[in-house]
Amino acid sequence: MNNNPNRKAKHSDFLVVGGGSAGCAVTATLIQAGYTVTLVEAGPDYGAFDSGQWPTDLIDARMIAINSHDWGYKGSRWEFHRAQVIGGCSSHNGCIAAVGHRKDYDSWQLPGWSGNDVAPIYDQVVKAMRVRTYRDDEAGPFHARCLEAAQGVGWRMVSDLCDLDGNDGFGLETVNVYGSTRWNSAFAYLDPIRHLPSLSIVDHVIVNHFQEHENGITLSISRHGQNETLSADHLILSAGVYGTPEILQRSGVGDPDHLKQLGIPIQLAQPKVGLNLHDHPMIHVDRKVGPELQAWLDEATVSGFLPEEQTLGKAISSLAEDNIFDLHLFPVCASDQTSMIHGRVHIEVACMTPKSRGSLRITSKDPNSLSQIEHNYLGDEDGHDTAVLAEGVVLANEILDHPALSEILGEPITDTTSDTYLSDHVAHYYHPVGTCAMGLNNDDVCDEKGRVCGLKRVTVADVSLMPQIPRANTNLPAVMMGIRVGELLLATD
Ligand SMILES: Cc1cc2nc3c(=O)[nH]c(=O)nc-3n(C[C@H](O)[C@H](O)[C@H](O)COP(=O)(O)OP(=O)(O)OC[C@H]3O[C@@H](n4cnc5c(N)ncnc54)[C@H](O)[C@@H]3O)c2cc1C
């Protein structure tokens, strides 16, 4: 762990808050340009990949690792897991590597963020994150049958699902898995620069709030129960979709009526902080595991590496715009008996172009209090998200009912034909974004360079910036955004 107090710089050119997917990438961009950076992270820093200090669950890529290092966010119905550790959610996520469609970025209509602008950054990110496609011979027994069933019901087979110009199709997943290791953004972006004296990584730091002054930034933190301050010329907030708006609101940057109720002095009235929260709503379609499949799974588990997720389909619903895919279908099958879904298989169905919007509000100025998070899944007025998911459920049942699968699966566990199935069972794809969205209007939270509108020295660099979520799992997009914001910042002055 990087706990050496001699390395803890009290003042640096940049303070980066949050060593997650985007935070590690923006830090590397600034360090490579010759600046001093102090990176503060609430969770532990386990050091470089070859330190041997990383807990097994965080590097084992077979299944998501949400039982440790979690912030504990909750809504009225769902838990909203977020990792509290260096690498952020890239240290515990599902390792699906996706970039969405080129038009996702064009549709933002922001200078510097078109599909053509982000494509070369994605080329670098794919290399650094060691993205690869699972090979046919790595596919476990269930996923091999999923490929056969999808082809059997008419899906187009594709060999690269991580392509800005790719559209619908079914294939083996592209993943940031190196051997059997979840290759997180700390390995990709911090390991090459950890030795440099211009970088200080301070872990176990909870950032409370900041104050902008004429000459810099003061950051109030608590570390091992002690309150301290750090300072820098410029502050980068990479604390993620929930952490970044929380820090802004605790710093008096938010809706003045809300902040006054909590006794927080106003630094900048910015009512949109915490709004525009959205994610890909998701629903599962399940079947029991049959005895033959169970025997194969037991055998395959003993013989090697068998991830829960290995295949993915992208489909175009009748509501899709421009005939570009708006659904993800990804089969999940557990071989490990400790898995949440042991004994059943799922095809998870996600609406990739959600219209529903929610919000995040802090409930107290105490950084240890839980925020009020309202995702409002399926809450869009015209019912778009529900209608897209309903079409996806039909597609998932078609695949599961194909003989390649039906002969090794049992009956459904959940009744997908019930009228209330979608509203009763809707879940999420773990991709919340948008709470500090970029835009070109004065009342937007951030401008097109990620700078908080109305402040001079504070920039956001994480998925909170997204005005609209891309048709992608959001880890690679977060990393891309960290790099892009760093580049735009360096190009400013
Ligand atoms: C269970 C799960 C599975 C997922 N699966 C996939 C997948 O398969 N593929 C994919 O592409 N995406 C996946 N995602 C989504 C993806 O990982 C995230 O969208 C992405 O990592 C977000 O990056 P970020 O940099 O915005 O935030 P994060 O990676 O969350 O980083 C934020 C960092 O800031 C720190 N922080 C927050 N508040 C404070 C504070 N007050 N003080 C100090 N530090 C703070 C946090 O500890 C964290 O390290 C998954 C997410 C989850 C939770």
Side-chain angles (χ1 to χ4, degrees), residues 193-220:
I193 56 171
R194 279 181 178 274
H195 61 287
L196 296 176
S198 50
L199 173 65
S200 302
I201 304 172
V202 193
D203 63 358
H204 296 293
V205 166
I206 299 281
V207 171
N208 189 350
H209 56 86
F210 67 84
Q211 181 67 47
E212 182 176 277
H213 310 285
E214 202 177 325
N215 300 321
I217 290 287
T218 305
L219 192 68
S220 299

mmCIF file of all heavy atoms in Angstrom, residues 193-220:
data_model
loop_
_atom_site.group_PDB
_atom_site.id
_atom_site.type_symbol
_atom_site.label_atom_id
_atom_site.label_comp_id
_atom_site.label_asym_id
_atom_site.label_seq_id
_atom_site.Cartn_x
_atom_site.Cartn_y
_atom_site.Cartn_z
ATOM 1 N N ILE A 193 3.565 4.347 -14.182
ATOM 2 C CA ILE A 193 4.036 5.658 -13.669
ATOM 3 C C ILE A 193 4.231 5.665 -12.152
ATOM 4 O O ILE A 193 4.585 6.695 -11.576
ATOM 5 C CB ILE A 193 3.053 6.796 -14.051
ATOM 6 C CG1 ILE A 193 1.629 6.496 -13.549
ATOM 7 C CG2 ILE A 193 3.044 7.034 -15.567
ATOM 8 C CD1 ILE A 193 0.660 7.678 -13.703
ATOM 9 N N ARG A 194 4.018 4.545 -11.503
ATOM 10 C CA ARG A 194 4.082 4.523 -10.040
ATOM 11 C C ARG A 194 5.435 4.968 -9.493
ATOM 12 O O ARG A 194 5.524 5.492 -8.387
ATOM 13 C CB ARG A 194 3.769 3.112 -9.508
ATOM 14 C CG ARG A 194 2.291 2.797 -9.436
ATOM 15 C CD ARG A 194 2.059 1.399 -8.885
ATOM 16 N NE ARG A 194 0.641 1.108 -8.760
ATOM 17 C CZ ARG A 194 -0.116 1.429 -7.716
ATOM 18 N NH1 ARG A 194 0.433 2.045 -6.676
ATOM 19 N NH2 ARG A 194 -1.397 1.130 -7.688
ATOM 20 N N HIS A 195 6.506 4.711 -10.253
ATOM 21 C CA HIS A 195 7.859 5.017 -9.765
ATOM 22 C C HIS A 195 8.196 6.508 -9.857
ATOM 23 O O HIS A 195 9.221 6.941 -9.327
ATOM 24 C CB HIS A 195 8.884 4.220 -10.586
ATOM 25 C CG HIS A 195 8.844 4.577 -12.054
ATOM 26 N ND1 HIS A 195 7.816 4.177 -12.883
ATOM 27 C CD2 HIS A 195 9.679 5.334 -12.814
ATOM 28 C CE1 HIS A 195 8.026 4.655 -14.104
ATOM 29 N NE2 HIS A 195 9.149 5.367 -14.083
ATOM 30 N N LEU A 196 7.376 7.299 -10.530
ATOM 31 C CA LEU A 196 7.753 8.698 -10.789
ATOM 32 C C LEU A 196 7.521 9.575 -9.558
ATOM 33 O O LEU A 196 6.451 9.515 -8.939
ATOM 34 C CB LEU A 196 6.949 9.251 -11.975
ATOM 35 C CG LEU A 196 7.221 8.574 -13.318
ATOM 36 C CD1 LEU A 196 6.289 9.132 -14.393
ATOM 37 C CD2 LEU A 196 8.682 8.792 -13.731
ATOM 38 N N PRO A 197 8.478 10.421 -9.196
ATOM 39 C CA PRO A 197 8.304 11.272 -8.013
ATOM 40 C C PRO A 197 7.217 12.332 -8.194
ATOM 41 O O PRO A 197 6.719 12.889 -7.218
ATOM 42 C CB PRO A 197 9.681 11.935 -7.827
ATOM 43 C CG PRO A 197 10.406 11.740 -9.108
ATOM 44 C CD PRO A 197 9.807 10.557 -9.808
ATOM 45 N N SER A 198 6.827 12.601 -9.417
ATOM 46 C CA SER A 198 5.771 13.599 -9.646
ATOM 47 C C SER A 198 4.384 13.073 -9.247
ATOM 48 O O SER A 198 3.419 13.831 -9.195
ATOM 49 C CB SER A 198 5.756 14.021 -11.121
ATOM 50 O OG SER A 198 5.729 12.880 -11.952
ATOM 51 N N LEU A 199 4.278 11.756 -8.977
ATOM 52 C CA LEU A 199 2.984 11.165 -8.606
ATOM 53 C C LEU A 199 2.963 10.786 -7.131
ATOM 54 O O LEU A 199 3.866 10.110 -6.647
ATOM 55 C CB LEU A 199 2.726 9.900 -9.438
ATOM 56 C CG LEU A 199 1.483 9.089 -9.036
ATOM 57 C CD1 LEU A 199 0.197 9.877 -9.272
ATOM 58 C CD2 LEU A 199 1.432 7.764 -9.794
ATOM 59 N N SER A 200 1.933 11.258 -6.418
ATOM 60 C CA SER A 200 1.684 10.782 -5.049
ATOM 61 C C SER A 200 0.317 10.127 -5.032
ATOM 62 O O SER A 200 -0.662 10.737 -5.468
ATOM 63 C CB SER A 200 1.648 11.946 -4.061
ATOM 64 O OG SER A 200 2.840 12.661 -4.110
ATOM 65 N N ILE A 201 0.260 8.891 -4.547
ATOM 66 C CA ILE A 201 -1.041 8.217 -4.399
ATOM 67 C C ILE A 201 -1.302 8.103 -2.906
ATOM 68 O O ILE A 201 -0.484 7.546 -2.174
ATOM 69 C CB ILE A 201 -1.027 6.816 -5.028
ATOM 70 C CG1 ILE A 201 -0.620 6.875 -6.503
ATOM 71 C CG2 ILE A 201 -2.402 6.157 -4.894
ATOM 72 C CD1 ILE A 201 -0.394 5.512 -7.151
ATOM 73 N N VAL A 202 -2.403 8.675 -2.461
ATOM 74 C CA VAL A 202 -2.724 8.605 -1.037
ATOM 75 C C VAL A 202 -4.042 7.847 -0.893
ATOM 76 O O VAL A 202 -5.078 8.295 -1.389
ATOM 77 C CB VAL A 202 -2.850 10.012 -0.406
ATOM 78 C CG1 VAL A 202 -2.857 9.889 1.121
ATOM 79 C CG2 VAL A 202 -1.713 10.909 -0.862
ATOM 80 N N ASP A 203 -3.973 6.677 -0.248
ATOM 81 C CA ASP A 203 -5.198 5.865 -0.139
ATOM 82 C C ASP A 203 -5.886 6.095 1.210
ATOM 83 O O ASP A 203 -5.404 6.854 2.049
ATOM 84 C CB ASP A 203 -4.895 4.384 -0.409
ATOM 85 C CG ASP A 203 -3.939 3.750 0.579
ATOM 86 O OD1 ASP A 203 -3.450 4.459 1.483
ATOM 87 O OD2 ASP A 203 -3.672 2.540 0.459
ATOM 88 N N HIS A 204 -7.028 5.474 1.406
ATOM 89 C CA HIS A 204 -7.837 5.599 2.628
ATOM 90 C C HIS A 204 -8.197 7.050 2.933
ATOM 91 O O HIS A 204 -8.265 7.444 4.097
ATOM 92 C CB HIS A 204 -7.117 4.959 3.820
ATOM 93 C CG HIS A 204 -6.932 3.480 3.659
ATOM 94 N ND1 HIS A 204 -7.979 2.591 3.656
ATOM 95 C CD2 HIS A 204 -5.805 2.741 3.452
ATOM 96 C CE1 HIS A 204 -7.520 1.359 3.467
ATOM 97 N NE2 HIS A 204 -6.211 1.423 3.328
ATOM 98 N N VAL A 205 -8.414 7.845 1.885
ATOM 99 C CA VAL A 205 -8.778 9.254 2.051
ATOM 100 C C VAL A 205 -10.247 9.443 1.656
ATOM 101 O O VAL A 205 -10.621 9.156 0.520
ATOM 102 C CB VAL A 205 -7.917 10.153 1.135
ATOM 103 C CG1 VAL A 205 -8.506 11.562 1.049
ATOM 104 C CG2 VAL A 205 -6.487 10.206 1.632
ATOM 105 N N ILE A 206 -11.069 9.897 2.592
ATOM 106 C CA ILE A 206 -12.443 10.271 2.225
ATOM 107 C C ILE A 206 -12.441 11.779 1.999
ATOM 108 O O ILE A 206 -12.109 12.557 2.909
ATOM 109 C CB ILE A 206 -13.445 9.927 3.345
ATOM 110 C CG1 ILE A 206 -13.452 8.423 3.633
ATOM 111 C CG2 ILE A 206 -14.848 10.441 2.982
ATOM 112 C CD1 ILE A 206 -14.218 7.574 2.672
ATOM 113 N N VAL A 207 -12.771 12.181 0.773
ATOM 114 C CA VAL A 207 -12.828 13.614 0.471
ATOM 115 C C VAL A 207 -14.177 14.142 0.921
ATOM 116 O O VAL A 207 -15.222 13.602 0.571
ATOM 117 C CB VAL A 207 -12.622 13.856 -1.034
ATOM 118 C CG1 VAL A 207 -12.912 15.313 -1.383
ATOM 119 C CG2 VAL A 207 -11.196 13.486 -1.411
ATOM 120 N N ASN A 208 -14.111 15.192 1.708
ATOM 121 C CA ASN A 208 -15.352 15.783 2.210
ATOM 122 C C ASN A 208 -15.830 16.876 1.267
ATOM 123 O O ASN A 208 -16.824 16.748 0.593
ATOM 124 C CB ASN A 208 -15.098 16.312 3.622
ATOM 125 C CG ASN A 208 -16.392 16.747 4.276
ATOM 126 O OD1 ASN A 208 -17.425 16.821 3.618
ATOM 127 N ND2 ASN A 208 -16.348 17.036 5.555
ATOM 128 N N HIS A 209 -15.090 17.981 1.172
ATOM 129 C CA HIS A 209 -15.507 19.070 0.293
ATOM 130 C C HIS A 209 -14.280 19.873 -0.135
ATOM 131 O O HIS A 209 -13.165 19.644 0.363
ATOM 132 C CB HIS A 209 -16.532 19.970 0.985
ATOM 133 C CG HIS A 209 -16.063 20.540 2.288
ATOM 134 N ND1 HIS A 209 -15.326 21.701 2.398
ATOM 135 C CD2 HIS A 209 -16.207 20.090 3.553
ATOM 136 C CE1 HIS A 209 -15.065 21.940 3.659
ATOM 137 N NE2 HIS A 209 -15.576 20.980 4.381
ATOM 138 N N PHE A 210 -14.481 20.804 -1.070
ATOM 139 C CA PHE A 210 -13.386 21.673 -1.524
ATOM 140 C C PHE A 210 -13.841 23.116 -1.485
ATOM 141 O O PHE A 210 -15.039 23.423 -1.441
ATOM 142 C CB PHE A 210 -12.949 21.302 -2.948
ATOM 143 C CG PHE A 210 -14.010 21.596 -3.987
ATOM 144 C CD1 PHE A 210 -14.159 22.871 -4.544
ATOM 145 C CD2 PHE A 210 -14.881 20.599 -4.401
ATOM 146 C CE1 PHE A 210 -15.154 23.137 -5.473
ATOM 147 C CE2 PHE A 210 -15.879 20.858 -5.325
ATOM 148 C CZ PHE A 210 -16.018 22.132 -5.868
ATOM 149 N N GLN A 211 -12.870 24.003 -1.520
ATOM 150 C CA GLN A 211 -13.165 25.435 -1.666
ATOM 151 C C GLN A 211 -12.225 25.981 -2.738
ATOM 152 O O GLN A 211 -11.020 25.735 -2.699
ATOM 153 C CB GLN A 211 -12.922 26.155 -0.326
ATOM 154 C CG GLN A 211 -13.215 27.651 -0.325
ATOM 155 C CD GLN A 211 -14.716 27.945 -0.499
ATOM 156 O OE1 GLN A 211 -15.557 27.345 0.170
ATOM 157 N NE2 GLN A 211 -15.056 28.835 -1.424
ATOM 158 N N GLU A 212 -12.811 26.690 -3.703
ATOM 159 C CA GLU A 212 -11.965 27.324 -4.733
ATOM 160 C C GLU A 212 -11.581 28.720 -4.260
ATOM 161 O O GLU A 212 -12.418 29.469 -3.776
ATOM 162 C CB GLU A 212 -12.748 27.409 -6.050
ATOM 163 C CG GLU A 212 -11.924 28.018 -7.171
ATOM 164 C CD GLU A 212 -12.660 28.019 -8.516
ATOM 165 O OE1 GLU A 212 -12.632 26.989 -9.198
ATOM 166 O OE2 GLU A 212 -13.263 29.049 -8.858
ATOM 167 N N HIS A 213 -10.287 29.051 -4.395
ATOM 168 C CA HIS A 213 -9.790 30.394 -4.065
ATOM 169 C C HIS A 213 -9.223 31.011 -5.336
ATOM 170 O O HIS A 213 -9.048 30.323 -6.344
ATOM 171 C CB HIS A 213 -8.651 30.340 -3.041
ATOM 172 C CG HIS A 213 -8.966 29.517 -1.852
ATOM 173 N ND1 HIS A 213 -9.807 29.947 -0.863
ATOM 174 C CD2 HIS A 213 -8.555 28.272 -1.493
ATOM 175 C CE1 HIS A 213 -9.893 29.009 0.057
ATOM 176 N NE2 HIS A 213 -9.157 27.984 -0.304
ATOM 177 N N GLU A 214 -8.838 32.265 -5.227
ATOM 178 C CA GLU A 214 -8.273 32.935 -6.402
ATOM 179 C C GLU A 214 -7.021 32.193 -6.908
ATOM 180 O O GLU A 214 -6.792 32.059 -8.100
ATOM 181 C CB GLU A 214 -7.908 34.370 -6.034
ATOM 182 C CG GLU A 214 -7.839 35.246 -7.248
ATOM 183 C CD GLU A 214 -7.547 36.679 -6.855
ATOM 184 O OE1 GLU A 214 -8.021 37.110 -5.787
ATOM 185 O OE2 GLU A 214 -6.802 37.315 -7.608
ATOM 186 N N ASN A 215 -6.214 31.670 -5.950
ATOM 187 C CA ASN A 215 -4.942 31.063 -6.360
ATOM 188 C C ASN A 215 -4.931 29.543 -6.356
ATOM 189 O O ASN A 215 -3.877 28.946 -6.582
ATOM 190 C CB ASN A 215 -3.820 31.550 -5.429
ATOM 191 C CG ASN A 215 -3.685 33.045 -5.505
ATOM 192 O OD1 ASN A 215 -3.802 33.629 -6.587
ATOM 193 N ND2 ASN A 215 -3.482 33.675 -4.356
ATOM 194 N N GLY A 216 -6.016 28.923 -6.055
ATOM 195 C CA GLY A 216 -5.980 27.453 -6.033
ATOM 196 C C GLY A 216 -7.190 26.853 -5.343
ATOM 197 O O GLY A 216 -8.228 27.494 -5.192
ATOM 198 N N ILE A 217 -6.977 25.612 -4.932
ATOM 199 C CA ILE A 217 -8.056 24.804 -4.354
ATOM 200 C C ILE A 217 -7.616 24.277 -3.004
ATOM 201 O O ILE A 217 -6.472 23.837 -2.857
ATOM 202 C CB ILE A 217 -8.300 23.568 -5.264
ATOM 203 C CG1 ILE A 217 -8.929 23.970 -6.577
ATOM 204 C CG2 ILE A 217 -9.106 22.505 -4.572
ATOM 205 C CD1 ILE A 217 -10.382 24.358 -6.481
ATOM 206 N N THR A 218 -8.512 24.305 -2.033
ATOM 207 C CA THR A 218 -8.241 23.615 -0.768
ATOM 208 C C THR A 218 -9.228 22.456 -0.661
ATOM 209 O O THR A 218 -10.431 22.635 -0.848
ATOM 210 C CB THR A 218 -8.443 24.562 0.436
ATOM 211 O OG1 THR A 218 -7.626 25.700 0.239
ATOM 212 C CG2 THR A 218 -8.053 23.884 1.737
ATOM 213 N N LEU A 219 -8.679 21.282 -0.367
ATOM 214 C CA LEU A 219 -9.508 20.077 -0.288
ATOM 215 C C LEU A 219 -9.535 19.599 1.159
ATOM 216 O O LEU A 219 -8.474 19.397 1.760
ATOM 217 C CB LEU A 219 -8.883 18.996 -1.178
ATOM 218 C CG LEU A 219 -9.705 17.761 -1.466
ATOM 219 C CD1 LEU A 219 -10.915 18.102 -2.351
ATOM 220 C CD2 LEU A 219 -8.845 16.708 -2.190
ATOM 221 N N SER A 220 -10.737 19.440 1.707
ATOM 222 C CA SER A 220 -10.853 18.927 3.084
ATOM 223 C C SER A 220 -11.070 17.424 3.022
ATOM 224 O O SER A 220 -12.015 16.947 2.376
ATOM 225 C CB SER A 220 -12.056 19.559 3.784
ATOM 226 O OG SER A 220 -11.878 20.935 3.831
#
